[in-house]
Amino acid sequence: PAVRSFRFAKGMSSFAGWWWFAASGEHVGYESWLERDHVMLMDFDPAVVAVASQPFWLSWHDGRRRRHAPDFFARRSNGSGVVVDVRPDDRIPRRDAEAFAVTAQACEQAGWEFRRVGVPGTVFAANVRWLSRYRHPRCAGRPGSGLDAGLLRTFAMDTPLLAGAEATGDRLQVLPVLFHLMWQGRLVASEFTSAPLGAATMVRTARG
């Protein structure tokens, strides 16, 4: 559980909410749109299996009592841990910079990685946000439909997204499965970080 509660109030400059984390099937709290985007990106990362928000208090003294609750703790599939603080590069006052430095030092002693992350790439975040709409298992298609296997065959070589979907079957049934496979990383798009997803986006099966 989070060590402090999330604030929901009309007129607040930030927006708090809950993200359904597909990798663990649990809801993860966030306190801003930027934090939500980073929870989403961790959910998209196949190496991350679970995330907790506001995971612990870190207390220390620098002539006065100080404490800091990092934004997230992520657990990787190999068992390692990552502590994440979310803050744009241009919004780090001295006091927060000191807190991040102490947190990084404590994480190193604990054997965890520490990351202070800012604003992600606009195109990359927008593409992941689109795919996240299809992250739920219900988008995998009806059992026995064979749509996932058909898409993997269709996109064995680089193929335009929409043309490949229509070659596999009815687009209304195929596209949710296609985007679900892309969310899982079984299908990948070229220029995913630099160009918005579209009908002409080249898609292929993941290699390795």
Side-chain angles (χ1 to χ4, degrees), residues 5-6 9-10 15 18 37 39 55 83 92 96 108-109 118 125-126 140 148 152 165 169 181-182 194 199-201:
S5 59
F6 296 95
K10 184 177 181 180
F15 186 90
W18 298 93
D37 281 351
V39 174
V83 174
I92 306 178
D96 290 345
E108 182 179 5
Q109 294 175 1
D148 54 349
L152 293 174
L181 291 175
M182 293 181 71
S194 58
T201 299

Side-chain angles (χ1 to χ4, degrees), residues 114-152:
F114 174 74
R115 293 181 184 172
R116 198 282 304 169
V117 295
V119 179
T122 302
V123 173
F124 176 60
N127 284 340
V128 176
R129 194 175 301 118
W130 174 265
L131 295 181
S132 73
R133 300 168 181 171
Y134 301 90
R135 67 189 185 278
H136 196 279
R138 65 173 172 264
C139 296
R142 297 191 309 274
S145 67
L147 288 178
D148 54 349
L151 284 165
L152 293 174

Side-chain angles (χ1 to χ4, degrees), residues 22-208:
S24 63
E26 299 176 340
H27 284 89
V28 178
Y30 58 82
E31 294 185 296
S32 68
W33 290 125
L34 182 57
E35 286 191 12
R36 179 208 59 184
D37 281 351
H38 280 286
V39 174
M40 173 189 72
L41 294 177
M42 287 187 281
D43 201 5
F44 185 61
D45 184 348
V48 177
V49 296
V51 169
S53 51
Q54 308 292 338
F56 57 82
W57 284 113
L58 176 66
S59 300
W60 72 98
H61 289 81
D62 59 0
R64 54 187 172 173
R65 182 177 174 81
R66 298 279 301 275
R67 70 174 186 170
H68 171 62
D71 293 318
F72 301 106
F73 182 95
R75 181 68 69 187
R76 291 196 182 104
S77 57
N78 65 4
S80 61
V82 184
V83 174
V84 179
D85 268 313
V86 179
R87 190 67 59 83
D89 296 345
D90 59 351
R91 293 181 55 193
I92 306 178
R94 179 179 176 182
R95 183 177 178 85
D96 290 345
E98 292 171 351
F100 296 155
V102 171
T103 304
Q105 182 180 6
C107 289
E108 182 179 5
Q109 294 175 1
W112 299 331
E113 180 183 346
F114 174 74
R115 293 181 184 172
R116 198 282 304 169
V117 295
V119 179
T122 302
V123 173
F124 176 60
N127 284 340
V128 176
R129 194 175 301 118
W130 174 265
L131 295 181
S132 73
R133 300 168 181 171
Y134 301 90
R135 67 189 185 278
H136 196 279
R138 65 173 172 264
C139 296
R142 297 191 309 274
S145 67
L147 288 178
D148 54 349
L151 284 165
L152 293 174
R153 288 193 299 269
T154 298
F155 290 101
M157 300 179 63
D158 287 305
T159 305
L161 187 152
L162 187 57
E166 293 180 334
T168 305
D170 179 80
R171 70 165 70 176
L172 293 180
Q173 295 181 346
V174 172
L175 283 174
V177 183
L178 188 158
F179 293 136
H180 184 71
L181 291 175
M182 293 181 71
W183 171 262
Q184 292 181 319
R186 298 172 66 188
L187 292 176
V188 296
S190 62
E191 301 180 342
F192 188 76
T193 62
S194 58
L197 288 173
T201 299
M202 301 303 290
V203 177
R204 60 170 171 79
T205 53
R207 301 188 179 105

